Amino acid sequence: MPNAPLREPTFLILTALAARPQHGYGILRDVEEISEGRVTLQAGTLYAALDRLSADGWVDVDREEVVDGRLRRYYRLTEPGAARLAAEVEKLQAHTRAARQRLRARLSGGTA
């Protein structure tokens, strides 16, 4: 369902990858920072989400390197992933504008 709202963890993962490719631990830290500590993903949850997002064509493996004898995989946001994130941002902004307008009307004693 391409127009269904993104779940918050998916939105945050795509947002974390919007600026640059990152490895898993970097994504985990970035998601926590972006959400101001409200969302803390476990590694298993992250990698399952990355597999799903990769199957959807929204993220891809950017590169791999070996660090301290362990494989480190970097992920990047694809163009379709960036477009999907941008569409979600536009939708959220429209919802925010509507909510602000209605709250202003409520506070001024009028109707929306």
Side-chain angles (χ1 to χ4, degrees), residues 3 8 12 21 30 38 40-41 50-51 56 73 89 95 97 102:
N3 291 327
E8 186 175 24
L12 293 170
D30 216 9
R38 288 181 302 98
T40 304
L41 299 175
L50 288 169
D51 286 345
D56 290 342
R73 184 172 287 158
V89 168
H95 292 172
R97 280 191 301 275
R102 289 170 185 236

Side-chain angles (χ1 to χ4, degrees), residues 14 17 32 45 50 55 59 69-70 83 90 92 94 100 105 107:
L14 295 177
L17 292 172
E32 189 169 353
T45 302
L50 288 169
V59 303
R70 296 183 62 186
E90 289 297 320
L92 291 171
R100 278 193 186 121
L107 292 173

